[in-house]
Amino acid sequence: MINAEGMHPGFGFRVVAGTPEGARIGRLQTPHGEVETPAFMVVGTRGAVKGVSPDLLEQVGAKILLANTYHLAVRPGEDSVHALGGLHRFSGWSGPILTDSGGFQVLSLADLRSIDDEEVRFRSHIDGQELRLTPERVLDIQARLGTDIAMVLDDCPPPGVDRAGARKALERTLKWAERSVRHRESSAVGDSPMAVFGILQGGAFEDLRQEGAERLRELPFDGYAIGGVSVGESRDVLLQTIPWGARHLPVDRPRYLMGVAGFTEFVHAIDNGVDLFDCVLPTRNARNGYLFRRNAPPVRIKNQRYRDDDRPIEEGCDCSTCQRYSRGFLRHLRLSREILFMTLASIHNLRVFYGFLDDAREAIRNGSWGAFRDRFWSEESPDLP
């Protein structure tokens, strides 16, 4: 058993089962509850998952929610969230919450921002007002929001970045990480316990990833994330990048693969010791009528062939959507643009993802991870999530 020492008060992490390959089950303790890992963090960018209430998230198996610092700082603003009781009370989600720092928006909103070694300056995508983010300010905002786990500000480079660009983003991210640590140690950041995770960059360059991990782990973070993946690169590049970072991050801290999900990605990352994931894939695809299944190609619910289909999305699925509704009815809702469709489809897709990770953890727990992994690779289909 591996126990983390020196984490921020109120937080803990211990590895309770593992395999020689690196797959492991962990227990991440937070002030708002415990999360068993490997775990998927459902994305509620603005504090809510589109069409899915907190009680329904709990029913499908969600234990931890991810929200976004940039978007909440722009609207309604951290002071409003604080005045309304903090992010947990504000959102109605009582479990742990991790907030991204806004680093991804450095990439995704490149036309609306400028960046230097001191800060990132955004023009709000809503009203054009300026928002300035520094490593220090980002932690202060997240503390004001009342998050459990805060991410440091990072410089996320675009896909295909050359070596010089990857080196520049890595160096800036490490300098910002150092500033984040100094700010946390020199000031009282927030009124409640808050863990802080560092982020690894380095592009698609193995030596930069390894160097970055070695330098990052010298800083006293409560957890460590692999950033700069799933930003538009090919799946092959994504998969080869994962172990370059994960294998060199501390074994006694949670490891978080940012913005990545899917069965192939889960299996590959878990095999390399990753503990946490997040992605909009299950809910975004659900809203667009693309319904995943564990053991078969997805259902594209708008197809004519489902008009009179009285079967559930997937036989044997234990989600409330499959227990009650037919493909024919769901197709009718989708074509009629009924809001209910977003909820029912998202419930199913999320349950597919949580169910897969339930099985993965059980395989690690009972010593059959190798067989689980090898069976998946032998049966892998490009149509699976």
Side-chain angles (χ1 to χ4, degrees), residues 42-50 65-73 75 87 98-100 105 280 284:
V42 62
V43 177
T45 300
R46 295 167 180 84
V49 178
K50 289 183 174 66
L65 176 75
L66 181 143
N68 183 272
T69 299
Y70 166 84
H71 286 285
L72 288 168
R75 186 168 62 189
L87 199 48
L98 180 148
T99 42
D100 195 0
Q105 281 66 45
V280 297
R284 179 176 291 172

Side-chain angles (χ1 to χ4, degrees), residues 256-274:
Y256 164 29
L257 181 60
M258 303 182 73
V260 176
F263 291 178
T264 297
E265 290 80 0
F266 284 156
V267 171
H268 185 67
I270 290 170
D271 207 42
N272 283 281
V274 170

Side-chain angles (χ1 to χ4, degrees), residues 326-346:
S326 69
R327 298 178 190 180
F329 179 67
L330 293 170
R331 179 178 183 273
H332 161 67
L333 294 181
R334 178 75 172 90
L335 294 178
S336 301
R337 299 184 179 179
E338 289 285 350
I339 295 174
L340 179 60
F341 174 79
M342 297 198 321
T343 300
L344 298 180
S346 295

